[in-house]
């Protein structure tokens, strides 16, 4: 199997973890930025209303000259120096006269006196900020958005938010597009079901539509940041993307783009004021349109800076120097916006859009809507985190760590290099990401070393090689000097079978019977959920859903008691004089009993829970070579009962079956066994070969990746898995006629040792390039190992032997005809083989492997699948709860 799916899955898991932590830890900064950005977008109409008495007038008659308007300001405020004039651009607009009133203001702030251009009446004064000419209210909100009024340190919050915004947006986009969904919902919300899946149905499409706006706000917002902004400025300087400007001799000041600017003032001569009208007329004749600002020269200067200040479409940002040295105003220099470098134009346009100026009110409303959507996205994100919480927990679990270890080293180097480059461009992003990584590693180490070791029946610690080495390292570091033993080989995943009296816990985050070391006996039983009450009345979906919940609750209580070696609670149908099924195992130890519950594809429709059905849960196809018997296939509910004592297993099944009366009818039952060799190695199947050599170690990242379903499933199913069941009959008499060499070539392994035919050890990966003495591949391409190696699943097989199938009192020995190969009776075929069970995060993994087997696996000549089913195994039951509880609480 190609490594591409593994790499893709690992990269996706890495992106999930990054998106999760960024959403959880950075979201508060984004929330503050969104709320203050919303306030800023709405501050434009608010300011228009608050300052309408200063900025608007009643049109009437002819306007008086600009010089007369300035003289009116000078008469009202003789101690204030006029530095610039902003002629009224609309019929109902006032003229703004920029003055130096002697008050020290922050950079970009100037005092402005408003004049009625028709009457010369002074309307009042205020403060104007930056090139957007914001008033005090909008500037206060802008500063809140920019730095929370905390000055330079406060800018770190907005830079952190802007630096992470594009990471969160792009990460979410990739995850949402790559997500598999059954019923669309990519572009528009389809909130079916309940719980996390319903929340995600809103979070994903809204984020998809919002992503371009978020990327735009992130990129443009970084231009005002402290550290990343310096890098952006340096890049613009290097690539000549900076905004050009004209040179003015003796001008009193000017405006600059951005949230703020710089303005210097000095006294302008009365002669300069007197020439204002002719300078204004000259500029208008030279096609200077829209709102203008005329900056007066200082002292004996003769050059006026005339600048267009229209920041909405069409942008009018032309600049012009008008010189009056000759006595008549003349255009000395001009710089048209159309002549700016393209990237300088684009930067100016983007900044205007970020500030809500480009499209006027429409721009401001769009920003406000985007900020509201961001607030909703953050709320939905936190809600999904809360919905992923385990029972009794306050918050959800993070996604599994260790994904980098599953990537090839060259790809890891690329990831590290890209991360380092991004960190250099966006320093706060790099620093915070490094801090996350360090904290995450420390948490991982803490969790690893605080987890108590598992014990076998003798109370001895059972740990994996990795855990033993890590524990020994820490012990040496603290001087404890305590050695840790490794109880078993890699073959049984670091686990050893316990003594008969050992107890496997029922309650936990995941169901037992999946990671549990395989017991000696297993029973698989399928039930169909009843659609009729015991009175014969037909049940509706709500009633069937209630029955399913009641049955799972009752089964969980019984299973928990039996696994602990305790008497189960009495069944409702039991009377004082009735036989109790628990008496079957009375006096016996629990013998590592586990009970695992599964739900089939049909049960969700029957109970009206289709919206909560995991997306990959569909009936398995019938593969080439299958001879499926409906009596041994499918089902709504599955019981997997395993233990080291067959009587304990049978007693548990009888007790559980009794509880299903009135809720479900028994479909089929299959029983199997598995005998572990005395040396604790891998068990063998009835063909004599070791079965399970290729399984990853329990608890390893490979095991977790193969088994546990994450993210793409409904929230209630988080941490569950899919179980595929197959009853596979082996043609053992025919198989026994093969030579040992032919059997080895069929499997691709040596029967006695389990070693691949390419050499090495039992658990070594086969070398498919190795040749044998004859020059042929040592592991044949059609061998079982070659066909299904590295299938992303974990196998657990149990042998079964039902003997010769007979009719009535006729025994197989009584048959005298139909012998095949001197071994098998045609009339009474021998029914023995394997109860194959696989756990996988996606049933497609099994389907892919089975299709390969059907096409080219020589083992297919000796096996036939007669039963088939697929189920979801929900997460484990919380203490005192029941399996599948999240399905009904979502």
């Amino acid at each position: 199997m190609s490594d591409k799916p593994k790499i893709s899955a690992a990269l996706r898991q890495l992106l999930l973890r990054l998106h999760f932590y960024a959403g959880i830890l950075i979201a508060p900064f984004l929330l503050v930025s969104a709320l203050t950005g919303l306030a800023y977008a709405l501050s434009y109409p608010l300011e228009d209303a608050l300052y309408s008495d200063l900025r608007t007038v009643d049109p009437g008659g002819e306007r008086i000259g600009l010089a007369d308007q300035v003289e009116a300001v000078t008469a009202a405020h003789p101690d204030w120096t006029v530095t610039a004039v902003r002629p009224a651009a609309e019929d109902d607009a006032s003229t703004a006269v920029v003055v130096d009133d002697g008050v020290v203001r922050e950079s970009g702030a100037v005092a402005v006196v408003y004049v009625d251009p028709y009457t010369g009446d002074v309307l009042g004064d205020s403060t104007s900020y930056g090139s957007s000419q914001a008033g005090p209210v909008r500037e206060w909100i802008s500063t809140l958005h920019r730095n929370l009024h905390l000055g330079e340190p406060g800018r770190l919050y907005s830079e952190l938010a802007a630096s992470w915004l594009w990471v969160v947006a792009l990460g979410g986009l990739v995850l949402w597009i790559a997500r598999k969904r059954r019923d669309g919902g990519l572009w528009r919300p389809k909130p079916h079901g309940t719980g996390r899946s319903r929340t995600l149905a809103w979070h994903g499409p809204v984020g998809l539509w919002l992503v371009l706006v978020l990327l735009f706000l992130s990129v443009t917002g970084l231009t005002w940041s402290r550290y990343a902004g310096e890098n952006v400025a340096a890049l613009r300087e290097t690539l000549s993307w900076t905004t050009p400007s004209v040179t003015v001799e003796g001008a009193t000041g000017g405006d600059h783009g951005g949230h703020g600017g710089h303005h210097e003032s000095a006294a302008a001569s009365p002669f300069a004021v007197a020439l204002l009208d002719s300078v204004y007329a000259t500029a208008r004749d030279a096609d200077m349109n829209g709102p203008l600002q005329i900056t007066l020269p200082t002292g004996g200067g003769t050059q006026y800076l005339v600048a267009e200040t229209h920041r909405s479409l069409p942008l009018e940002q032309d600049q012009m120097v008008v010189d009056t040295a000759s006595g008549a105003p003349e255009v000395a220099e001009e710089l048209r916006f159309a002549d700016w470098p393209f990237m300088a134009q684009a930067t100016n346009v983007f900044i205007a859009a970020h500030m809500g100026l480009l499209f006027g009110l429409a721009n401001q409303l769009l920003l406000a809507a985007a900020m509201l959507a961001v607030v909703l996205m953050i709320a939905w994100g936190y809600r999904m985190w809360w919905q992923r919480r385990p029972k009794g927990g306050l918050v959800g679990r993070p996604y599994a760590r260790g994904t980098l270890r599953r990537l090839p080293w060259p790809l890891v180097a690329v990831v590290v290099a890209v991360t380092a480059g991004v960190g250099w461009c966006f320093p706060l992003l790099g620093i915070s990401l490094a801090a996350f990584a360090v904290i995450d590693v420390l948490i991982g180490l803490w969790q690893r070393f605080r987890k108590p070791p598992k014990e076998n029946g003798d109370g001895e610690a059972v740990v994996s090689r990795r855990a033993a080495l890590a524990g020994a390292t820490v012990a040496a570091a603290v001087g404890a000097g305590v050695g840790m033993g490794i109880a078993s080989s890699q073959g049984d995943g670091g686990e050893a079978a316990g003594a008969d009296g050992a107890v496997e816990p029922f309650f936990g985050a995941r169901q037992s019977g999946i990671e549990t070391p395989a017991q000696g006996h297993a029973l698989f039983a399928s039930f169909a959920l009843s659609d009729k009450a015991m009175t014969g009345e037909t049940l509706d979906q709500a009633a069937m859903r209630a029955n399913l919940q009641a049955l799972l609750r009752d089964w969980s209580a019984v299973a928990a008691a039996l696994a602990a070696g305790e008497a189960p609670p009495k069944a409702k149908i039991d009377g004082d004089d009735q036989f109790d099924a628990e008496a079957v195992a009375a006096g016996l130890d629990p013998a590592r009993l586990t009970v695992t519950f599964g739900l089939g594809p049909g049960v969700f429709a029957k109970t009206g829970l289709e919206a909560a059905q995991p997306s990959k849960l569909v009936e398995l196809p019938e593969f080439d070579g299958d001879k499926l018997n409906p009596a041994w296939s499918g089902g709504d509910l599955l019981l997997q009962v395993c233990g080291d004592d067959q009587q304990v297993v049978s007693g548990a099944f009888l007790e559980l079956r009794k509880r299903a009366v009135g809720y479900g009818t028994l479909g089929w039952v299959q029983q199997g066994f598995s005998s572990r060799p005395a040396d604790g190695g891998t068990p063998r199947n009835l063909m004599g070969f070791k079965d399970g050599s290729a399984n990853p170690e329990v608890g390893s990242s490979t095991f977790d990746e193969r088994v546990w379903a994450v993210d793409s499933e409904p929230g209630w199913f988080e941490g569950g898995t899919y179980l595929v069941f197959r009853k596979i009959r082996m043609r053992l008499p025919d198989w026994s006629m093969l030579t040992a060499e032919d059997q080895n070539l069929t499997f691709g392994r040596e029967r006695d040792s389990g070693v691949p035919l390419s050499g090495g050890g039992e658990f070594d990966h086969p070398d498919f390039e190795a040749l044998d003495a004859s020059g042929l591949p040592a592991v044949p391409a059609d061998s079982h190992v070659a066909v299904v190696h590295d299938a992303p699943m974990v196998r657990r097989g149990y042998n079964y032997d039902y003997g010769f199938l007979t009719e009535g009192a006729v025994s197989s020995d009584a048959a005298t005809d139909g012998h095949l190969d001197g071994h098998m009776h045609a009339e009474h075929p021998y029914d023995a083989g394997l109860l194959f069970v696989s756990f996988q995060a996606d049933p497609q993994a099994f389907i892919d492997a089975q299709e390969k087997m059907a096409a080219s696996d020589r083992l297919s000549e000796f096996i036939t699948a007669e039963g088939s089913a697929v189920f979801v195994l929900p997460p484990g039951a919380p203490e005192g709860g029941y399996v599948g509880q999240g399905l009904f609480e979502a």
Side-chain angles (χ1 to χ4, degrees):
M1 184 173 290
S2 172
D3 287 338
K4 290 183 178 179
K6 292 183 177 181
I7 295 174
S8 176
L11 287 173
R12 183 174 182 276
Q13 192 70 10
L14 181 63
L15 188 58
L16 270 172
R17 191 165 175 81
L18 178 63
H19 188 71
F20 170 82
Y21 273 121
I24 296 301
L25 301 175
I26 302 299
F29 297 95
L30 294 176
L31 180 61
V32 173
S33 186
L35 291 174
T36 56
L38 171 63
Y40 179 76
L42 298 178
S43 67
Y44 283 89
L46 174 64
E47 192 171 70
D48 289 340
L50 290 176
Y51 302 113
S52 60
D53 60 328
L54 296 179
R55 298 180 177 179
T56 60
V57 298
D58 294 326
E62 293 292 330
R63 293 184 179 183
I64 64 176
L66 286 179
D68 293 335
Q69 296 178 47
V70 171
E71 288 178 358
V73 171
T74 302
H77 302 284
D79 296 332
W80 294 0
T81 302
V82 175
T83 61
V85 178
R86 299 168 183 169
E90 305 291 342
D91 290 342
D92 61 347
S94 62
T95 295
V97 179
V98 181
V99 298
D100 179 6
D101 59 357
V103 177
V104 178
R105 292 177 171 83
E106 60 268 34
S107 176
V110 294
V112 178
V113 179
Y114 295 93
V115 183
D116 188 327
Y118 300 99
T119 64
D121 294 338
V122 175
L123 304 175
D125 61 271
S126 184
T127 304
S128 176
Y129 298 84
S131 60
S132 68
Q133 300 175 11
V137 171
R138 178 150 58 94
E139 177 62 19
W140 189 92
I141 296 176
S142 175
T143 304
L144 180 69
H145 177 62
R146 188 167 58 249
N147 61 25
L148 302 178
H149 290 278
L150 297 177
E152 194 66 25
R155 292 178 64 187
L156 299 180
Y157 117 83
S158 57
E159 180 169 356
L160 191 65
S163 298
W164 275 96
L165 182 58
W166 66 272
V167 178
V168 175
L170 285 181
L173 176 67
V174 172
L175 292 172
W176 182 245
I177 291 178
R179 178 184 173 85
K180 296 180 181 178
R181 50 185 63 80
R182 291 181 298 169
D183 55 353
L186 174 67
W187 296 100
R188 63 185 180 89
K190 290 189 175 181
H192 301 302
T194 57
R196 180 174 174 273
S197 59
R198 185 179 183 88
T199 307
L200 184 59
W202 283 100
H203 185 82
V206 172
L208 183 66
W209 285 102
L210 195 61
V211 66
L212 289 179
V213 177
L214 297 184
L215 291 177
F216 166 78
L217 293 176
S218 175
V219 171
T220 53
L222 286 170
T223 61
W224 286 295
S225 65
R226 169 67 175 85
Y227 299 103
E230 292 180 354
N231 292 334
V232 172
L235 178 65
R236 292 179 62 191
E237 184 72 28
T238 301
L239 299 178
S240 300
W241 291 353
T242 54
T243 302
S245 61
V246 296
T247 303
V248 183
E249 297 179 0
T252 59
D255 280 332
H256 301 266
H259 280 298
H262 179 68
H263 183 83
E264 296 176 352
S265 63
S269 66
F271 181 72
V273 174
L275 293 177
L276 266 174
D277 290 287
S278 58
V279 169
Y280 180 57
T282 301
R284 294 302 298 268
D285 291 341
D287 200 28
M288 294 289 285
N289 302 312
L292 300 177
Q293 175 168 300
I294 305 173
T295 304
L296 280 68
T298 60
T302 60
Q303 291 188 340
Y304 296 74
L305 172 63
V306 183
E308 294 176 337
T309 61
H310 197 254
R311 302 292 298 276
S312 59
L313 286 178
L315 267 72
E316 294 173 330
Q317 295 286 287
D318 296 347
Q319 296 181 14
M320 177 178 294
V321 176
V322 178
D323 198 336
T324 59
S326 63
E330 297 177 346
V331 176
E333 183 182 357
E334 59 180 336
L335 176 63
R336 299 293 179 176
F337 181 74
D339 297 329
W340 289 17
F342 172 76
M343 288 307 300
Q345 291 178 336
T347 300
N348 198 280
V349 170
F350 291 157
I351 289 176
H354 185 106
M355 297 175 67
L357 297 169
L358 188 62
F359 304 104
L361 180 61
N363 194 166
Q364 296 147 24
L365 293 178
L366 176 63
L367 288 176
M371 294 304 98
L372 282 174
V374 170
V375 173
L376 289 174
M377 291 288 292
I378 294 171
W380 287 329
Y382 275 112
R383 178 170 174 77
M384 287 191 293
W385 182 37
W386 181 76
Q387 288 172 327
R388 293 182 69 242
R389 74 197 189 284
K391 179 66 176 179
L394 295 177
V395 294
R397 298 181 298 269
Y399 291 97
R401 59 173 56 85
T403 50
L404 277 178
R405 295 195 298 269
R406 299 200 291 271
L407 295 175
W409 282 111
L411 188 54
V412 172
V414 172
V415 171
V416 172
V418 170
T419 303
V422 170
W424 181 87
C425 294
F426 310 102
L428 286 190
L429 172 62
I431 294 171
S432 56
L433 183 59
F436 291 167
V438 171
I439 293 173
D440 192 49
V441 169
L442 293 176
I443 292 175
L445 292 173
W446 175 71
Q447 290 178 339
R448 177 182 299 177
F449 297 136
R450 72 184 286 268
K451 185 177 181 180
K454 299 178 181 178
E455 295 183 353
N456 59 18
D458 299 323
E460 297 174 346
V462 180
V463 296
S464 66
R465 298 178 185 273
R466 180 179 295 176
L469 179 59
T473 302
V474 172
V478 300
V482 179
M484 300 183 67
I486 301 177
S488 61
S489 66
Q490 183 180 353
D492 27 355
E495 305 285 357
D500 288 345
V503 173
E504 293 290 344
F506 175 79
F507 296 111
R510 287 164 177 159
Q511 290 197 67
S512 57
I514 304 172
E515 294 179 300
T516 309
Q519 300 99 316
H521 302 275
L523 181 149
F524 301 90
S526 168
F527 293 80
L529 192 65
S530 297
D531 59 359
K532 292 185 181 298
M534 297 183 70
T535 60
E537 179 186 0
T538 300
L539 302 176
D540 59 15
Q541 288 183 329
M544 295 181 70
R545 181 165 60 250
N547 281 352
L548 174 62
Q549 184 177 15
L551 180 58
L552 290 174
R553 182 185 287 113
D554 194 15
W555 270 358
S556 296
V558 172
L562 294 177
E566 302 170 354
K570 205 167 189 63
K572 294 179 180 179
I573 64 173
D574 281 346
D576 294 337
D577 59 345
Q578 287 181 308
F579 169 75
D580 286 332
E582 65 266 17
V584 173
L588 299 179
D589 291 322
R592 297 201 306 127
L593 177 73
T594 60
V595 181
T596 312
F597 305 137
L599 302 175
V603 76
F604 292 89
K606 289 182 178 181
T607 57
L609 294 170
E610 299 98 323
Q613 180 172 340
S615 58
K616 303 178 182 68
L617 180 62
V618 294
E619 297 287 359
L620 294 176
E622 186 167 347
F623 302 98
D624 291 344
D626 285 0
K627 294 183 179 180
L628 301 182
N629 187 335
W632 298 336
S633 301
D636 293 333
L637 298 167
L638 174 74
L639 284 178
Q640 174 189 278
V641 187
C642 302
D644 287 327
D645 187 312
Q646 185 170 1
Q647 183 134 339
V648 172
V649 170
S650 295
F653 168 67
L654 291 172
E655 181 66 30
L656 291 164
R657 180 186 181 185
K658 178 177 66 175
R659 306 299 177 122
V661 173
Y663 297 119
T665 56
L666 182 64
W668 50 261
V669 178
Q670 298 289 331
Q671 297 185 70
F673 57 88
S674 177
S675 299
R676 187 177 299 275
D679 61 2
T682 308
R684 295 181 183 272
N685 57 36
L686 294 184
M687 287 180 164
F689 279 75
K690 295 188 174 186
D691 199 323
S693 300
N695 279 339
E697 182 181 4
V698 171
S700 67
S701 58
T702 302
F703 183 97
D704 292 343
E705 179 185 350
R706 291 185 177 186
V707 173
W708 306 119
V710 296
D711 180 62
S712 62
E713 307 299 341
W716 72 269
F717 187 52
E718 184 74 27
T721 186
Y722 292 88
L723 179 148
V724 170
F725 174 86
R726 303 272 283 178
K727 177 185 182 291
I728 301 174
R729 181 185 292 193
M730 296 176 173
R731 299 187 180 95
L732 293 178
D734 293 346
W735 176 256
S736 66
M737 298 301 294
L738 295 181
T739 65
E741 181 181 6
D742 286 339
Q743 291 182 352
N744 290 347
L745 291 173
T746 299
F747 269 94
R749 292 182 180 271
E750 295 179 1
R751 183 184 64 187
D752 296 337
S753 64
V755 172
L757 296 183
S758 56
E762 177 188 349
F763 308 108
D764 290 340
H765 195 283
D767 181 1
F768 298 108
E769 304 297 327
L771 304 178
D772 61 14
S774 63
L776 297 174
V779 181
D782 60 351
S783 67
H784 184 61
V785 167
V787 173
V788 301
H789 76 285
D790 283 348
M793 65 178 74
V794 171
R795 306 165 180 83
R796 172 173 289 195
Y798 285 91
N799 302 314
Y800 76 89
D801 188 346
Y802 300 152
F804 285 95
L805 301 181
T806 61
E807 294 180 7
V810 179
S811 71
S812 60
D813 295 334
T816 58
D817 60 345
H819 285 259
L820 298 178
D821 298 327
H823 287 269
M824 183 165 61
H825 297 280
E827 183 181 354
H828 308 295
Y830 192 60
D831 188 11
L834 185 71
L835 303 180
F836 173 89
V837 174
S838 63
F839 305 108
Q840 51 273 300
D842 187 344
Q844 189 64 42
F846 169 80
I847 294 173
D848 293 342
Q850 186 61 41
E851 288 178 341
K852 291 180 181 179
M853 285 187 62
S856 61
D857 194 337
R858 69 167 72 180
L859 181 61
S860 298
E861 299 177 20
F862 303 96
I863 59 175
T864 301
E866 298 180 332
S868 181
V870 61
F871 301 89
V872 291
L873 305 186
E879 191 73 32
Y882 58 95
V883 172
Q885 185 169 338
L887 173 62
F888 303 96
E889 296 179 348

